[in-house]
Amino acid sequence: MTRTFESGPARRERTPIAIGIVGPSGSGKTKSALRLADGMARVGGGDTWLVDTNNRRSLHHAPDHKFTALHMPPPYSPSDYGAAFQHAIDGGARRIVVDSISDEWEGEGGVLDMHSAELDRRSKGRDDDRDRNNMAAWIGPKREHNRLRLWMFQQPIDWILTFRAKEKIKPVKGKQPEDMGWQPLGADDLVYELLLKCLLRPQCDGKPVWTSDVLHERALIKLPGWFRDIFTNGPQLSEDIGEQLARWAAGGDVVVTPGIAERFDACATPEDFKLV
């Protein structure tokens, strides 16, 4: 059977947006994600759902933000995440905050545990068989992970994913270890899919860094040209920023400009204030 396709002149139209927030504990990931989601709701309306793998800690933010909390205890397999996401979508989610997506990879029952269990099964307790079976033991877990990843970004909703981060070094044979800086704990291919990737360092109060002396941190950070004016003065992730990102994602001839708070912060003279 011959496939048919839809085609036409290219034009800006509504597209879902996927944002990643990477940082260690205390850097402001959850608060920042909810602030962005509140701003996005100003434009797109609808409900924000938060998938909470952190033992209901998202509820600390309930007095300040409007969202539906979905408590997700272990196990954290890709199929379990998929079931949680489908539940949120069926419930009317317009955007989903995932706090944290790191557990899909390294949490109890996540991809690493799935690989370990499959390796044990194939090796039958024989240590000398583990190396031989290591690659084959990845097939099932990675297939399930890839199915989740591909499904997520086909959904007509916005995603805000938080990743725990850890300072890492890379061993180099015959040389000093290479400093990798702060790196996300999670699947590399999931990080790759994100349109905007924000790195929060310890105690940064939700202010991303957009430059780094560390090569691997620079590779992590992603700030497309469409959004650079929003972050000119290094602001916190905020409702105004979420609104501007959502206006861009809405399509059409959208000019992305800083929110009102950022415009006031940029004023240097009384005359500047009169123009805001």
Side-chain angles (χ1 to χ4, degrees), residues 134-168:
N134 183 59
M135 294 303 295
W138 278 113
I139 294 173
K142 285 195 172 181
R143 181 189 297 119
E144 190 172 322
H145 164 76
N146 287 333
R147 187 179 296 119
L148 172 68
R149 175 179 57 84
L150 294 170
W151 175 87
M152 284 175 62
F153 298 111
Q154 290 295 320
Q155 304 310 303
I157 63 168
D158 299 317
W159 298 93
I160 305 176
L161 310 181
T162 74
F163 294 81
R164 293 189 294 272
K166 183 177 181 180
E167 285 187 294
K168 294 185 177 182

Side-chain angles (χ1 to χ4, degrees), residues 23-194:
S25 177
S27 58
K29 296 188 297 297
T30 308
K31 180 71 173 179
S32 297
L34 286 168
R35 293 190 71 183
L36 289 178
D38 285 350
M40 294 165 75
R42 295 175 185 172
V43 177
D47 296 334
T48 297
W49 282 60
L50 189 149
V51 176
D52 182 344
T53 67
N54 292 313
N55 198 24
R56 304 179 190 269
R57 291 190 181 92
S58 65
L59 299 182
H60 298 166
H61 301 280
D64 303 316
H65 301 278
K66 183 180 179 182
F67 62 97
T68 298
L70 189 160
H71 172 54
M72 183 179 171
Y76 297 122
S77 72
S79 61
D80 286 293
Y81 269 88
F85 298 158
Q86 188 64 64
H87 179 85
I89 292 170
D90 291 344
R94 176 64 182 76
R95 66 202 61 82
I96 297 178
V97 176
V98 187
D99 190 36
S100 156
I101 195 66
S102 293
D103 288 307
E104 186 261 348
W105 191 256
E106 66 159 17
E108 181 181 340
V111 173
L112 295 182
D113 273 1
M114 292 169 65
H115 170 260
S116 180
E118 177 64 7
L119 185 56
D120 289 343
R121 186 189 71 82
R122 287 174 175 269
S123 302
K124 297 181 173 61
R126 296 190 293 267
D127 290 342
D128 55 341
D129 282 349
R130 293 185 71 82
D131 286 344
R132 182 170 58 83
N133 286 290
N134 183 59
M135 294 303 295
W138 278 113
I139 294 173
K142 285 195 172 181
R143 181 189 297 119
E144 190 172 322
H145 164 76
N146 287 333
R147 187 179 296 119
L148 172 68
R149 175 179 57 84
L150 294 170
W151 175 87
M152 284 175 62
F153 298 111
Q154 290 295 320
Q155 304 310 303
I157 63 168
D158 299 317
W159 298 93
I160 305 176
L161 310 181
T162 74
F163 294 81
R164 293 189 294 272
K166 183 177 181 180
E167 285 187 294
K168 294 185 177 182
I169 58 172
K170 180 180 179 181
V172 180
K173 187 175 181 179
K175 298 181 181 179
Q176 289 293 319
E178 183 179 355
D179 180 14
M180 298 182 68
W182 291 99
Q183 292 296 309
L185 300 176
D188 291 342
D189 57 358
L190 193 56
V191 177
Y192 177 84
E193 296 279 1
L194 303 171

